[in-house]
Amino acid sequence: MPKFSTLAEVQEALHSGGVSCESLVRHYLQRIEATRHLNIYVEVFEEEALAKARELDARFKKDPASVGRLFGMTVALKDVICYKDHEVTAASNILKGFRSLFSATAVERLLAEDAIILGRVNCDEFAMGSSTENSCYGPTRNAADPERVPGGSSGASAVAVQADTCLASLGSDTGGSVRQPAAFCNVVGFKPSYGRISRHGLIAYGSSLDQIGTLTQSVEDAALLLEIMAGPDEFDSTASTAPVEPYAALAPLGRPARIAYYRTALEHPSLDEGIRQMTFNFIGQLREAGHIVEAIDFEYLDYTIPAYYVLATAEASSNLSRYDGIRFGHRSPAAKDLESTYRRSRTEGFGAEVKRRIMLGAFVLSSGYYDAYYTKAQQIRRLIYDKTQAVFQEFDFILMPAAPVTAWRFGEKSDDPVAMYLADIFTVQANLAGIPAIALPLGSHPENGLPVGVQLMAGAFREASLLAFAHQHTLQVK
Ligand code: GLN
């Protein structure tokens, strides 16, 4: 079986008769087996995927026009996205054994177009982390170097595509969780505008920041998946009613793009020198291609991380209060009364990072500190939002590195949560401002050879031009 990089290639093979859906699924199932050591999948839906493939083959044979737009699309789901009658745990002991009663709207829409869901994949517990080390299933390994993290929290969604175990995967991005692992693993990671894809059926972390995103080998597949998943939803009042554009058409801008980058970002002391060089080389290529790329000042870059971690933990402490040992998942067998049911179930069920964040969030929301932290962070968010809007009055895109460093070794940052948080410096702005952002593979680091990504952001709901531009300026990952 050849290595497919896009759904178009898969469909060509299906149409020419060289490949059937069943043989395709068997191929990916073999890849999943061959990459067990990377700890990507926490559950494989083997029988179901094969049954669906056989059903599709039969339907296609009868009438090739009867299959959906995602005929041949194999998908892995991050373990925070609900799929009816399947377990979903957010990689947490507190949800072990919990089966979802419904499917996320995004999943429903993929299924309606005949996507095949292969399984659910690992992540940081409740999507809190940047390395996929905070999981009750153990860490996932980066296929580029199994001694290193794949990034996070959608780390296994990235490795699933990187290691060719599926064509695409869904992740969630609250502060960079799709884009940073994509950069660490040499794949395309796309986070749409806040509200572009319904959050119904996505386990909530920071509800004002959360968004489902995709990990793919090509921008064209990201665009197609967006076109199918986007749009209003009666189950999520924050899902936008803005028209779903023909993203998959990837219609170019038709004029040179105006691109801004922040001096503060490319001169940032935390930015690795090799990544800085590669980013400048990319800027040079864009200029050579006729685009206008200008350095601008963005004085809030160093405020993005503190604002994000105050707001995300505040929202998390509220969202995670529902895991009380009564309604979902784990209930401590040692509990004697209501108080000890809450206390023990949560003590046993949550991992250390999740507890840290619940405490942080409860602290910043507590009456004595609310104004000093939560209100202040909201004000900073507003400034960041306004400044971001102002940039897009003049520019089409903002260009930033996706991460200040390449994939680190296991354990390197896990003892120092602040060091881990600071590694999100280039990704959280897009979530705070609610704008779409994409991480694209830029090549291998000149010294350590590890994958490096670059990030492009656009104004809210300008996915069509962002994806078209990204498509024009990236090579598919081979
Ligand atoms: N690393 C960030 C965090 O830990 C982002 C996570 C995410 O986007 N889900 O909160």
Side-chain angles (χ1 to χ4, degrees), residues 4 12 41 69 151 187 189 200 238 241 254 272 274 343 358 361 401 405 469 471 478:
F4 296 108
E12 212 179 284
Y41 286 75
R69 290 179 76 191
V187 300
H200 175 65
T238 65
T241 53
D272 170 274
R343 194 181 284 272
I358 292 172
V405 290
F469 185 81
H471 175 65
K478 291 283 172 201

Side-chain angles (χ1 to χ4, degrees), residues 12 26 69 84 105 112 194 214 222 282 298 339 409 412:
E12 212 179 284
R26 286 195 188 280
R69 290 179 76 191
K84 191 174 191 296
T105 300
Y194 181 76
T214 52
F282 185 58
F298 181 71
E339 167 82 18
R409 289 200 171 76
E412 220 173 280

